[in-house]
Amino acid sequence: MNILFAASEIFPYAKSGGLADVAYSLPQDLRTKTNVYTIMPLYKTIDRFKYEIEYQGKSFDIWLDGTRHQIDIFVQKENQFELFLYNPILCDREGMYYDSFGGFGDNALRFGLFSYAIIEIIFQLNLKIDAIHINDWQTALVALLAKTRYFLTQKIIFTIHNMAYQGVFPKKVMDELELSWAECFKNDRLEYFDNVNFLKAGIFYSDKVTTVSPSYASEIQTPLFGHTLEKILIANNYKLSGILNGLGFDVFDPATDKDIFQKFDAKSYELKQKNKIKLLKELGLKGSEKPLFVFIGRFTEQKGINLIIESLHLIEKLDINFVILGSGEGYYNHIFSNLIGKYANIHITVGFDEAYSRRLYASCDFLVMPSKFEPCGLNQMITMRYGAFPIVAYTGGLKDSVMDFTDTDNYSKKIGLGIVYKEHTIFWYMFAITKAISLYANKSRFEKLAIHNMNVDNSWKRSSKEYLKLYK
Ligand code: ADP
């Protein structure tokens, strides 16, 4: 089988969150069983020389609303299945989707163009493709174009990584993108409160829709998690399923991670402490015998940032260290920037730093994820792989991948352990932190469970089989 896998970001070339990790590691695992082409924009921030990305020799034009858009095809030198598309409107930006002023005003054109080009490349390179796997709103129009304009015979699989981002634009983009008003501008398809909604079109026009965990697949069919599209999802639930994301075990491996100070594995777990000691020293935090908690993630309501902020004055009084790394909405960036240096046991960095995040995973004892909703979440899996404990809210993919350590005596290798709390309130969040501290006080039990987590198999092994079945 030949699959074309399209995403707006793929690790290590461009990453803003979990989509990039998945768009790297799922195709990589699938490639051991079938042919997978990946395709993404060649953003100007991608270092073409470092990654050996070369012009393939072919360019083509897409005409939209009387304007010619040239698309240049690039490939990775060592792996001709990794394709990149360059077009100045799509790629020449500071940031992928937004800058400090907000979302780019022409995102509909940028990702509409990308969607046209994903289909065009099949013809331009004469690829034999059986199925096209698209991801999130940025590639959702591929489904609409495949069914209403190109009449492709290939099946379309659409994966939703987060219902909160839907790609909603004013209806004038219908003409800019030459979409059929009669066919597409309908309430069950692209139309959305007299605007257009790319995600909604992806749901309607795809042959299969998946989301990134079984729990989230159920949750999004309810008003609390459907972000206004719950009825559309219910109407299309005959083709909807949830497949839990896996983790790229080669990318996230403390035994080989180049960014960490001291490599370690489950057999040499005690070496992890060296990372912690070094990190605390660098950050000016005291007490390597105290538990180290971290938060790594986007500063947005979804991630429970309000609880993090509200609890800082309580965390300050505890005998623990807490390190925060994140960036996101301007409002939260501002709050956290103002809190830097305010507490002796809390260290804050506002920014996105892959290498530093690895050092935090390699040093921490606990990672907090007080998410309001979480389609899957990868942080909890990375945390386990690096010999630590996730503290998670009981929602979405966190439900499917973390079990509270007090809820089981059966430490089978299948179950990742952590601390799970059920209500999004400061009381229960702090209760979970307290529970973590008391677990840490029992050092031998803590270490046994941390090592257990390192041996849990959260790789793509199981889930990539499910995707393969879906393609077939
Ligand atoms: P998201 O909802 O952001 O996709 P996931 O848990 O699925 O959340 O994936 C988040 C990924 O992004 C993880 O690999 C995590 O380590 C990384 N990440 C998030 N924020 C940062 C940051 N500020 N710096 C470095 N890496 C980050």
Side-chain angles (χ1 to χ4, degrees):
M1 261 207 326
N2 292 304
I3 308 297
L4 180 61
F5 187 100
S8 56
E9 51 184 274
I10 303 180
F11 179 85
Y13 309 114
K15 169 169 167 177
S16 76
L19 169 62
D21 290 326
V22 171
Y24 164 77
S25 53
L26 172 59
Q28 200 210 22
D29 193 276
L30 288 167
R31 279 182 182 131
T32 60
K33 300 160 195 107
T34 189
N35 285 331
V36 183
Y37 293 90
T38 52
I39 185 161
M40 68 174 287
L42 186 58
Y43 300 109
K44 78 164 195 185
T45 45
I46 298 174
D47 189 335
R48 297 180 190 189
F49 297 101
K50 177 175 161 197
Y51 292 119
E52 299 186 302
I53 298 168
E54 298 177 334
Y55 181 50
Q56 192 269 353
K58 197 156 193 161
S59 299
F60 60 93
D61 292 338
I62 291 171
W63 283 84
L64 283 178
D65 202 21
T67 302
R68 185 181 73 88
H69 298 278
Q70 183 174 315
I71 312 280
D72 304 323
I73 305 174
F74 285 73
V75 289
Q76 208 282 328
K77 201 172 145 200
E78 302 294 317
N79 182 359
Q80 304 284 310
F81 284 95
E82 287 188 42
L83 302 167
F84 300 83
L85 297 174
Y86 173 76
N87 164 271
I89 293 176
L90 176 61
C91 301
D92 291 354
R93 291 294 153 96
E94 302 298 323
M96 285 187 273
Y97 318 121
Y98 57 85
D99 59 19
S100 53
F101 296 108
F104 297 128
D106 57 356
N107 273 346
L109 175 62
R110 293 177 67 227
F111 290 100
L113 204 53
F114 181 42
S115 298
Y116 269 97
I118 290 165
I119 296 182
E120 278 291 336
I121 203 164
I122 300 176
F123 301 105
Q124 296 293 333
L125 297 183
N126 205 10
L127 302 178
K128 301 277 167 283
I129 298 294
D130 301 300
I132 309 175
H133 189 161
I134 55 178
N135 294 276
D136 280 350
W137 69 263
Q138 292 90 342
T139 50
L141 280 197
V142 169
L144 179 150
L145 296 171
K147 304 290 176 184
T148 67
R149 199 173 162 122
Y150 287 87
F151 305 105
L152 296 186
T153 52
Q154 286 91 346
K155 298 290 179 193
I156 312 288
I157 297 100
F158 178 40
T159 297
I160 300 170
H161 297 258
N162 195 331
M163 285 300 299
Y165 304 97
Q166 300 184 356
V168 176
F169 304 101
K171 64 184 172 190
K172 70 179 170 60
V173 307
M174 294 289 297
D175 292 328
E176 281 174 21
L177 293 173
E178 297 187 5
L179 307 178
S180 159
W181 287 90
E183 158 61 32
C184 308
F185 201 71
K186 291 187 177 156
N187 181 249
D188 59 340
R189 305 179 186 191
L190 183 63
E191 191 273 336
Y192 178 76
F193 299 109
D194 211 30
N195 289 304
V196 299
N197 182 324
F198 284 14
L199 193 89
K200 192 175 168 189
I203 295 167
F204 180 81
Y205 286 106
S206 295
D207 298 291
K208 292 279 179 195
V209 179
T210 73
T211 185
V212 289
S213 70
S215 288
Y216 194 59
S218 315
E219 289 172 352
I220 58 178
Q221 297 179 54
T222 66
L224 207 54
F225 299 97
H227 293 267
T228 70
L229 293 188
E230 59 277 2
K231 291 206 174 106
I232 298 294
L233 287 157
I234 292 169
N236 287 280
N237 69 9
Y238 65 94
K239 58 180 178 184
L240 171 69
S241 61
I243 302 177
L244 190 69
N245 277 341
L247 190 66
F249 260 33
D250 59 329
V251 179
F252 293 101
D253 183 357
T256 56
D257 195 325
K258 286 190 216 62
D259 291 318
I260 69 179
F261 170 64
Q262 171 67 57
K263 298 184 180 52
F264 62 100
D265 59 19
K267 291 199 187 80
S268 57
Y269 167 80
E270 68 286 353
L271 292 177
K272 179 173 171 152
Q273 185 70 5
K274 289 194 180 179
N275 290 311
K276 185 173 167 185
I277 292 169
K278 175 124 167 85
L279 180 89
L280 294 180
K281 197 161 172 227
E282 269 172 28
L283 302 184
L285 295 171
K286 296 200 177 59
S288 59
E289 72 291 352
K290 298 177 194 172
L292 173 62
F293 291 70
V294 304
F295 170 86
I296 301 169
R298 290 182 291 114
F299 289 158
T300 160
E301 202 189 330
Q302 176 200 338
K303 300 287 177 185
I305 291 301
N306 57 328
L307 284 189
I308 304 265
I309 295 170
E310 282 170 37
S311 61
L312 291 181
H313 71 287
L314 299 171
I315 299 280
E316 185 196 18
K317 297 193 181 70
L318 298 174
D319 210 14
I320 66 174
N321 284 305
F322 190 40
V323 177
I324 296 172
L325 165 64
S327 65
E329 288 159 27
Y331 167 72
Y332 290 124
N333 289 347
H334 187 70
I335 292 179
F336 280 108
S337 299
N338 283 328
L339 289 171
I340 293 174
K342 193 155 182 251
Y343 306 102
N345 64 338
I346 302 173
H347 188 279
I348 299 171
T349 305
V350 179
F352 192 96
D353 186 339
E354 178 82 27
Y356 178 47
S357 77
R358 304 302 184 99
R359 283 161 47 218
L360 295 184
Y361 288 118
S363 307
C364 73
D365 302 299
F366 298 97
L367 171 130
V368 297
M369 286 183 87
S371 306
K372 272 195 166 163
F373 66 94
E374 195 58 77
C376 177
L378 292 177
N379 293 23
Q380 77 280 16
M381 300 187 194
I382 306 172
T383 304
M384 292 177 199
R385 182 105 167 116
Y386 283 69
F389 254 69
I391 298 175
V392 304
Y394 187 67
T395 184
L398 300 175
K399 274 186 192 173
D400 299 337
S401 57
V402 187
M403 182 175 235
D404 192 283
F405 77 100
T406 51
D407 284 348
T408 179
D409 289 326
N410 170 20
Y411 299 136
S412 101
K413 290 228 165 68
K414 293 199 185 84
I415 308 166
L417 298 173
I419 293 164
V420 183
Y421 68 95
K422 294 204 170 159
E423 283 177 42
H424 190 78
T425 63
I426 193 139
F427 178 88
W428 290 112
Y429 171 67
M430 287 310 293
F431 173 76
I433 302 258
T434 315
K435 194 165 156 182
I437 297 169
S438 75
L439 169 63
Y440 193 78
N442 185 345
K443 221 36 204 290
S444 64
R445 176 128 199 256
F446 174 82
E447 282 180 15
K448 197 172 142 224
L449 299 183
I451 292 168
H452 162 89
N453 274 354
M454 293 188 79
N455 287 320
V456 169
D457 188 357
N458 284 314
S459 74
W460 273 103
K461 212 159 52 188
R462 184 172 27 103
S463 297
S464 76
K465 275 194 206 123
E466 291 187 50
Y467 276 108
L468 212 55
K469 216 158 84 190
L470 206 64
Y471 298 154
K472 279 186 180 147

